[in-house]
Every structure is written in C-alpha cells, then in structure tokens.
C-alpha cells in the first residue's frame, strides 16, 4: 500500500526544464539566477531586500548575527516549532527562552509575551531578539508583537518557514512591515521548494549588507565597506567572520520557477483546508482555528483530538492512521522538552499549553498536489478510526 504523505513537493515540467537549463549554462553557483530568485521573492512579498541561502536554519543564524545577537544576549521563541528556531540563538552564544502558545492559534501567545516582558524588565532579562513562528502557515499577531518590540526594545525575526504566500492584514507575509527580518524555508515539504534552501527578507539596507557578508565568509566586494582602496580588480576583503551558506543556481532556478505558481499552491491548500473543515465537522477533534486578520498558507493542517470524547489514545489514533497508509506526523514536540534544552535547565511543565497541545495534535496530509481521491480516503479513514 502506498502511503499518503503529510506533505510533499509539487514539481512541474517547467521546474524541471529550469533546472536543466542551469546545468547547461556557465554558472552552477554564484551566477545570475540567485539574484533573480531573490528579487522575485522580495517583489512578491513587498520587501526591499532578500538574501537566499542554503537552508532556513542558515537564514535564521545569519539573521540573528545581523541583529547583533551574541553572548550574554537573550532570544525568545515559541516552544511549538522546529528546533532550528531556537538553535539559531545558541549558535550565537545567546541564552534561549520560550513564550508559551495561544490555545487557539498554536502561535506565540501575545498575552504570555507581554506578561513575560513585564517580568523580564523587572529582572533585567529582556530579550534582544524575539522569533515569532507562523505555525502551520498562519501569521502571528504581528501588529501587537511590533508594538511590544518598540516598547521593550527587541528585534523581531519572523520564522515564516511555513507561511510564504500567506497574508497578515493587508500585507503578504515577508513584507517585514512589523519586523526587522523574515525567514522562509524552501525544504520540499514547505510551500515552495528549492530542495534545500532558505531566505532572509528585510527592508533595512544595513541588515541586508550584513546578511550578504555572513552568507559568504564575511567577505565583501563593495568598496564602500572596505578599509582601504582596492588593490586591483581581483580584490576583496574579509571584514568579519561569516560562513559558506550559499545556495546554488540550480536550486535558485527551481525556486524561481516555483514562484510562478505560488498563488496556485496556496489557493489549492486553502481549498483542501476548506474541504477538511466541512467534511470533518462533528468528529471528536478540534479543527484549525483561523484568526480573522490572517490568510494562512496552510503548510500544515493540524487536528487536535478531544480525548475525553474518544476511547482510543492519541498514540493509538496516530498508529491506526499510519497503519491505514496515511503518513500523519506531529508538529511539534515542544522544543524545551528536547534533551539538549533539558540540559540547559528546561523541564516538562514549563510551557503547559504547548505540552497539552502536543498530547492532542496530529498533522494530516496537506499539500498542493494532493489528489482529490487521496483526500477523500483520508477523510473516510479518519471517520472510521475515530468512530
Ligand atoms: C522547516 C523549518 C525550519 C528549518 O528549515 P530548513 O530549511 O530545513 O533549515 C525552521 N523553522 C521552522 C518553523 C520550520 O518549519
């Protein structure tokens, strides 16, 4: 029996041709395709600058570096995320802490954020960077976070790995209207793919220049940034410490080609979500609630089991679905419960809403190329498993 995955890429003949064209060209990496991809995404999102890198993990790292995060500083994010949203703080030597989630959106709770900021101000432990994660493709309440950022003086880096093509109020996610920087992931299960890849968007030229440097060894070819006049046309300077986080032209061409269909991808995901919303009514599960200010890109469709209404356990339901060939998954194991973070002092019980959510959540298949017949099978099987 084939398994219906929880997510997968949507590759067209045009995408394949775009990749082949790069392989036949002069540039496999550091060619013109990267800037074209960056411009395409920046334009789509309504941001001024974009820097493409080899993963969202790298993007988060250089975004934190550009924000000046270092030893002695503090970064806050949501426990309901992939570990990379927290690890980027650790790469910079910063202390990582978490803000529990809202029980309806599963995004960072604004109420908890404000409470924690009030306490942190009193104790002198305010964060330098806060990373709200647009979980499942639904934007966090960015206007409120932005207001708090101004009041308490932290930088906001949006982890929008799930959310390219989504909207908040009348802005596209990635516009950076309420943040310093926004990060996208182009992993194959995300909305748009480059196989591996990520991007940082910003409206701030100073941050942009830093991101460019950190992506490639701390090297610049911009004479305005050099300490002395160029020795000749070969000259470059290393003016800081960076990495090799570059993306290839092969990947950028795939991403550029994929961007032609981004609205189609999201519209299809929205249609699948609507069908689930309609067909799964009445089952002992909580369907994904949508904040009226948001238009989700629906990277994930997460159901939460109402365990007091069913006899099976969460694990049993999960196993039954896998047994029936449905590649369900669980997003996310609360990051603070990972052994690495437990060693840093976190414990079960620290973020109870995220932990409670973790006991109930199941990600069911959601991707733009999902066949109608497969979605019908998922719906039918869920009804049987939960009967
Ligand atoms: C996928 C993901 C990442 C990491 O993305 P990569 O491109 O695989 O490095 C970071 N944060 C979130 C929320 C993600 O879902």
């Amino acid at each position: 029996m084939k398994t219906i995955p929880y997510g997968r890429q949507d590759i067209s003949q045009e995408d394949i041709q775009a990749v082949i064209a790069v392989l036949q060209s002069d540039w496999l990496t550091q060619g013109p395709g990267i800037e074209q991809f960056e411009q395409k995404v920046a334009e789509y999102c309504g941001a001024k600058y974009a820097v493409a890198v080899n993963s969202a993990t790298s993007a988060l790292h250089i975004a934190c570096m550009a924000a000046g995060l270092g030893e002695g500083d503090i970064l806050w994010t949501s426990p309901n995320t992939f570990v990379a949203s927290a690890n980027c703080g650790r790469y910079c030597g910063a202390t990582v802490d978490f803000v529990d989630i809202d029980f309806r959106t599963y995004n960072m709770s604004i109420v908890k954020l404000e409470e924690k900021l009030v306490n942190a101000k009193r104790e002198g432990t305010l964060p330098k960077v806060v990373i709200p994660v647009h979980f499942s493709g639904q934007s966090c309440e960015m206007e409120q976070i932005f207001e708090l950022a101004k009041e308490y003086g932290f930088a906001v880096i949006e982890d929008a790995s799930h959310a390219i093509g989504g909207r908040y109020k009348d802005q596209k996610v990635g516009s950076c209207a309420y943040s310093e920087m926004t990060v996208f992931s182009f992993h194959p299960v995300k909305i748009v793919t480059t196989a591996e890849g990520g991007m940082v968007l910003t409206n701030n030229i100073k941050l942009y220049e830093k991101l460019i440097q950190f992506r490639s060894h701390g090297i610049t070819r911009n004479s305005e940034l050099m300490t002395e006049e160029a020795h000749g046309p070969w000259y470059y300077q290393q003016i800081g410490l960076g990495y090799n986080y570059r993306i290839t032209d092969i990947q950028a061409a795939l991403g550029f080609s994929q961007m032609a269909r981004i609205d189609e991808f999201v519209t299809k995901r929205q249609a699948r979500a609507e069908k689930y919303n309609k067909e799964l009514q009445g089952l002992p599960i909580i369907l994904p609630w949508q904040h009226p200010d948001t238009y989700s890109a629906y990277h994930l469709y997460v159901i939460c089991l109402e365990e007091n209404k069913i006899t099976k356990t969460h694990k049993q339901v999960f196993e039954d679905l896998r047994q029936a060939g449905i590649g369900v998954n669980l997003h996310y194991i609360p990051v603070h419960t990972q052994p690495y973070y437990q060693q840093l002092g976190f414990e079960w019980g620290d973020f109870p809403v995220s932990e409670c959510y973790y006991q109930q959540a199941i990600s069911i298949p959601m991707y733009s190329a999902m066949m109608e017949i497969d979605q019908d099978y998922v719906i039918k099987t869920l009804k049987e498993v939960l009967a």
Side-chain angles (χ1 to χ4, degrees), residues 274-347:
E274 244 171 71
K275 179 161 174 164
Y276 277 142
N277 290 344
K278 190 160 144 268
E279 301 286 333
L280 300 178
Q281 290 266 338
L283 293 182
I285 54 180
I286 298 161
L287 301 176
W289 184 80
Q290 300 297 295
H291 191 288
D293 287 342
T294 66
Y295 175 80
S296 178
Y298 274 111
H299 163 52
L300 300 172
Y301 190 93
V302 176
I303 58 170
C304 279
L305 304 184
E306 297 186 280
E307 281 196 282
N308 54 343
K309 293 192 188 163
I310 53 175
T311 50
K312 285 180 186 168
T313 64
H314 178 236
K315 192 173 166 200
Q316 274 169 337
V317 172
F318 196 99
E319 284 171 347
D320 286 355
L321 290 168
R322 282 263 176 107
Q323 203 69 44
I326 299 174
V328 287
N329 217 314
L330 211 172
H331 303 90
Y332 285 99
I333 306 161
V335 177
H336 70 281
T337 69
Q338 295 291 352
Y340 173 78
Y341 283 95
Q342 301 249 304
Q343 281 159 29
L344 293 173
F346 294 99
E347 291 174 359

Side-chain angles (χ1 to χ4, degrees), residues 182-199:
T182 301
V183 166
F184 291 135
S185 170
F186 303 122
H187 182 278
V189 292
K190 309 287 164 74
I191 314 287
V192 162
T193 193
T194 61
E196 294 280 1
M199 197 176 276

Side-chain angles (χ1 to χ4, degrees), residues 115-133:
E115 269 174 27
K116 199 173 170 99
L117 286 165
V118 169
N119 287 333
K121 187 172 182 185
R122 195 173 340 101
E123 292 166 9
T125 55
L126 281 169
K128 184 161 192 167
V129 168
V130 173
I131 303 191
V133 180

Side-chain angles (χ1 to χ4, degrees), residues 62-74:
I62 61 171
C64 286
M65 287 173 72
L69 191 74
E71 234 156 282
D73 293 328
I74 299 169

Side-chain angles (χ1 to χ4, degrees), residues 54-60 80-85 133-135 159-162 183-187 189-190 196-198 299 331-332:
N54 59 359
S55 72
T57 304
S58 305
L60 285 162
N80 184 33
T81 186
F82 186 55
V83 293
S85 322
V133 180
H134 302 321
F135 178 75
D159 184 343
S161 292
H162 300 183
V183 166
F184 291 135
S185 170
F186 303 122
H187 182 278
V189 292
K190 309 287 164 74
E196 294 280 1
H299 163 52
H331 303 90
Y332 285 99

Side-chain angles (χ1 to χ4, degrees), residues 171-237:
Q171 308 274 351
K172 289 251 172 59
V173 170
S175 73
C176 301
Y178 304 98
S179 65
E180 271 66 40
M181 289 170 273
T182 301
V183 166
F184 291 135
S185 170
F186 303 122
H187 182 278
V189 292
K190 309 287 164 74
I191 314 287
V192 162
T193 193
T194 61
E196 294 280 1
M199 197 176 276
V200 190
L201 286 86
T202 184
N203 291 319
N204 180 323
I205 188 150
K206 288 267 177 298
L207 292 174
Y208 172 68
E209 283 169 353
K210 286 183 190 168
L211 293 165
I212 292 280
Q213 261 178 53
F214 297 144
R215 168 173 67 182
S216 193
H217 308 281
I219 283 172
T220 187
R221 289 175 189 278
N222 179 352
S223 58
E224 282 168 33
L225 300 175
M226 290 184 189
T227 56
E228 59 177 305
E229 217 164 288
H231 300 172
W234 63 84
Y235 196 63
Y236 60 82
Q237 277 190 344

